[in-house]
């Protein structure tokens, strides 16, 4: 089968690495890909939001199955257009992707289907939003309704800060995404990324991971797409999976079907594990990045078979995926300055040497080859250094020793405390 994978991040490199191991895959093309993906698949330089360009490629190349990595093409209705053309694809329709693209939609959906989440309200008027703060206590959680690249959430410690943030949201800080605002109760607990597949009718649990969203050690600094992750999460057991499936994932899949927008794809639930049980922080309609890299390293089953079953609505006939219990860590190397301004084109050495180290597998994110053929940085998050180990401690140490002893990139940085929380609890 000829497969097209959309995206060019670390998530997509790990998906590509796993897809080409499938006997179902005869050829893999990736748009736009990156320097790492180019080593294992064909890449076509089409941007992820160039829906017309992607459709033309699908037709020219007679693609059998399209797997969508990031959220942008989902929001632009790529899956709807492929379905209309009779081409199999993995990912939700534009309407179903609202679970990620509209926080207001998701909060209201949770109310309709009694899915546990923080108390909230949705506002389009500044005055109403400000008045609602009187009903809440600090810290105040304020969110832009639409996609804001993971940055549209503010946690304000005082009412004064919350009021001035609301002024900024409504004066266009996040463009259109910020003119509809969700204000919600602050939830206490630790966060888990939980993944499940849905074929539109039923859900199949995948596994959990723990992300590190802030840029710097000690969970300081600005929010990012994710600076590192590990899986499995110690203490996260089958009973928790059962609770999450029963209280959150299954009602979501059934609710979406009932509301005539069946969700096909990955449900990525950002959960707060509170004293009252797991509560939904947000949904994403795709695999997480950097979490997907861990899922792909732990998955023993054929990824293409699973994603195809979800896409064709036949998860009920599929065996549950098998997972390696060996712990895996992923440490992200980002360009200095990320998530703000950073330099591109700086030379990276030592990735091949890192890949030879025990347990280590480097997935590329924003990388390219320059005219001289050297590997250079081409984005904010640049490399994902994943490593397995007999426990998380060894996995993380192996990832850091690959970074310190093999990879030579003076213009990059990473967090030094990935999985520290888990190690404390061990
Ligand atoms: P989101 O983009 O909705 O996932 O929010 C980004 C981050 O803000 C989350 O990963 C949490 O760390 C934090 N956050 C969001 N909503 C809440 C909430 N209601 N209570 C506590 N923390 C939150
Ligand atoms: N790692 C969080 C995300 O993919 O949104």
């Amino acid at each position: 089968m000829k497969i097209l994978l959309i995206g060019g991040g670390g998530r997509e490199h790990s998906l590509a690495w796993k897809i080409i191991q499938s006997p179902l895959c005869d050829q893999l093309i990736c748009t736009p890909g990156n320097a790492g993906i180019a080593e294992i698949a064909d890449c076509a330089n089409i941007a992820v939001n160039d829906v017309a360009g992607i459709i033309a490629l699908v037709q020219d190349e007679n693609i059998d199955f399209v797997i969508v990595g990031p959220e942008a093409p989902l929001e632009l209705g790529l899956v709807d257009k492929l379905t209309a053309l009779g081409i199999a694809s993995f990912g939700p329709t534009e309407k179903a992707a609202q679970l990620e693209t509209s926080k207001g939609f998701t909060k209201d959906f949770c109310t309709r289907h009694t899915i546990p989440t923080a108390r909230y309200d949705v506002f389009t008027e500044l005055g109403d939003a400000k008045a609602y703060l009187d009903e809440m206590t600090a810290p105040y959680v304020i969110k832009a309704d639409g996609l804001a690249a993971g940055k549209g959430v503010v946690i304000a410690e005082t009412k004064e800060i919350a009021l001035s943030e609301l002024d900024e949201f409504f004066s266009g800080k996040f463009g259109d995404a910020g003119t509809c605002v969700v204000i919600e109760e602050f939830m206490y607990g630790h966060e888990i990324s939980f993944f499940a597949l849905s074929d539109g009718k039923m859900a199949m649990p995948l596994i959990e991971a723990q992300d590190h969203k802030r840029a710097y050690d000690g969970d300081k600094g600005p929010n990012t797409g994710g600076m590192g992750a590990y899986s499995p999460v110690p203490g996260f057991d089958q009973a928790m999976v059962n609770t999450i499936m029963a209280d959150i994932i299954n009602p979501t899949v059934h609710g979406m079907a009932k509301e005539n927008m069946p969700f096909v794809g990955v449900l990525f639930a950002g959960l707060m594990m509170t004293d009252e049980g797991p509560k939904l922080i947000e949904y994403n309609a795709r695999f997480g990045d950097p979490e997907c890299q861990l899922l792909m390293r732990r998955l023993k089953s054929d990824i293409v078979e699973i994603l195809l079953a979800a896409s064709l609505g036949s998860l009920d006939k599929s065996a549950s995926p098998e997972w390696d219990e060996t712990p895996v860590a992923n440490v992200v190397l980002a360009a200095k300055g990320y998530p703000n301004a950073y330099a591109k084109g700086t030379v990276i050495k030592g990735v091949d040497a890192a890949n030879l180290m025990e347990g280590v597998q480097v997935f590329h994110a924003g990388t390219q080859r320059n005219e001289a053929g050297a590997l250079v940085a081409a984005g904010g998050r640049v490399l994902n250094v994943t490593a397995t180990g007999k426990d998380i401690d060894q996995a993380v140490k192996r990832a850091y020793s690959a970074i310190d002893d093999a990879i030579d990139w003076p213009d990059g940085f990473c967090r030094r405390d990935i999985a520290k929380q888990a190690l404390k609890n061990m």
Side-chain angles (χ1 to χ4, degrees), residues 103 143 153 184-187 191 213 272 281-282:
K103 291 188 192 292
K143 302 183 175 185
V153 176
E184 63 182 48
E185 160 204 14
F186 185 85
M187 296 184 286
E191 276 181 71
K213 291 200 172 159
M272 191 68 85
I281 303 171
E282 64 158 3

Side-chain angles (χ1 to χ4, degrees), residues 92-351:
T93 59
E94 181 184 348
K95 262 185 151 179
Q98 284 182 99
L99 281 177
E100 168 160 7
T101 59
S102 169
K103 291 188 192 292
F105 168 85
T106 303
K107 296 297 285 191
D108 291 345
F109 178 86
C110 286
T111 305
R112 289 198 294 280
H113 299 282
T114 3
I115 294 166
T117 185
R119 192 163 64 88
Y120 75 101
D121 213 334
V122 184
F123 300 94
T124 49
E125 298 292 337
L126 177 61
D128 296 345
K130 286 186 169 176
Y132 188 65
L133 294 182
D134 293 335
E135 294 177 31
M136 310 294 270
T137 49
Y140 303 91
V141 183
I142 304 170
K143 302 183 175 185
D145 178 63
L147 289 178
K151 292 173 195 146
V153 176
V154 169
I155 307 218
E157 297 297 336
T158 67
K159 199 168 197 177
E160 286 64 41
I161 300 174
L163 287 168
S164 85
E165 283 291 345
L166 283 175
D167 282 330
E168 290 194 38
F169 270 71
F170 279 95
S171 60
K173 179 176 178 176
F174 295 109
D176 284 347
T179 52
C180 179
V181 166
V182 176
I183 300 180
E184 63 182 48
E185 160 204 14
F186 185 85
M187 296 184 286
Y188 293 88
H190 63 272
E191 276 181 71
I192 288 274
S193 301
F194 183 78
F195 298 87
L197 284 182
S198 170
D199 67 359
K201 295 172 294 196
M202 64 166 282
M204 178 185 267
L206 300 176
I207 51 172
E208 83 292 353
Q210 182 106 51
D211 191 10
H212 297 66
K213 291 200 172 159
R214 300 293 198 96
Y216 313 131
D217 286 17
D219 291 328
K220 302 257 167 24
N223 252 327
T224 70
M227 292 299 292
Y230 59 90
S231 176
V233 177
F236 189 89
D237 57 15
Q238 188 57 43
M240 283 184 196
V241 174
N242 296 345
T243 305
I244 292 166
M245 292 303 290
D247 294 352
I248 297 177
I249 303 289
N250 288 335
T252 301
V253 170
H254 297 146
M256 291 297 279
K258 218 162 124 190
E259 295 189 18
N260 291 319
M261 44 186 143
F263 185 96
V264 174
V266 187
L267 273 174
F268 162 4
L271 300 173
M272 191 68 85
M273 308 305 277
T274 74
D275 291 344
E276 296 158 19
K279 290 190 181 180
L280 185 72
I281 303 171
E282 64 158 3
Y283 266 128
N284 293 306
R286 49 169 174 85
F287 282 112
D289 187 342
E291 294 96 331
C292 182
Q293 294 83 317
L294 306 172
L295 268 61
M296 291 309 109
R297 289 215 60 182
R298 289 191 54 201
L299 180 64
K300 293 202 276 189
S301 314
D302 182 339
I303 182 78
V304 177
E305 212 174 285
I306 299 170
L307 301 187
L308 202 55
S311 149
L312 300 175
S314 58
L315 278 183
D316 58 336
K317 296 183 200 81
S318 301
S320 291
E322 286 182 41
W323 302 97
D324 193 333
E325 286 307 315
T326 309
V328 197
N330 182 6
V331 178
V332 171
L333 273 169
K336 280 181 185 162
Y338 172 79
N340 300 312
Y342 52 81
K344 288 188 181 176
T346 56
V347 174
I348 304 161
K349 293 184 189 143
V351 173

